[in-house]
Amino acid sequence: EEMRKAFKERRDEAVKLINEIEGLSVFKPDGAFYLFVNIKEVNNDSMEFCKQLLEKKGVAVVPGIGFGSDGYFRFSFATDIESIRLGIKRIEEFVKELKA
């Protein structure tokens, strides 16, 4: 029960923070340890987006194209809440730089 609550908190925080980033959106999953983040307003090429995000901000996410969903990336929230917040802050910085 303790872990279920911890993962619910992580999921809810990640969904909230990602949806606050202009150009990104995500739906809250019912049962998973990851989110599929819509990046179509920023870049339809999920492979390129993820490669640049890793190179420029040190954040590793999985391109959606590998799951048949280009224009999305998979973000795991199976880590501590502070790492989630830091990763999403770096994603936000990256997206702002792309839009500038």
Side-chain angles (χ1 to χ4, degrees):
E1 181 61 19
E2 183 179 328
M3 288 308 299
R4 186 191 67 75
K5 286 180 182 177
F7 277 99
K8 180 183 181 304
E9 177 188 2
R10 294 170 189 174
R11 179 203 63 194
D12 292 350
E13 181 76 357
V15 167
K16 176 180 127 351
L17 293 174
I18 288 171
N19 280 328
E20 290 175 353
I21 300 171
E22 187 177 335
L24 302 187
S25 63
V26 66
F27 290 106
K28 187 186 320 184
D30 288 328
F33 298 105
Y34 55 85
L35 306 172
F36 271 104
V37 180
N38 183 335
I39 60 169
K40 290 179 181 177
E41 288 185 32
V42 179
N43 187 339
N44 277 323
D45 185 338
S46 62
M47 187 72 76
E48 183 63 27
F49 180 94
C50 294
K51 179 182 172 193
Q52 287 183 17
L53 178 61
L54 180 60
E55 290 173 355
K56 294 180 179 181
K57 297 295 178 179
V59 176
V61 295
V62 182
I65 194 166
F67 303 95
S69 297
D70 209 9
Y72 291 81
F73 67 79
R74 190 168 107 161
F75 178 88
S76 173
F77 55 86
T79 189
D80 64 277
I81 195 85
E82 289 307 316
S83 294
I84 291 167
R85 289 176 179 143
L86 177 60
I88 294 172
K89 182 178 183 335
R90 290 179 182 177
I91 291 169
E92 180 177 26
E93 290 168 359
F94 177 70
V95 169
K96 284 181 179 178
E97 290 170 10
L98 286 177
K99 295 183 102 182

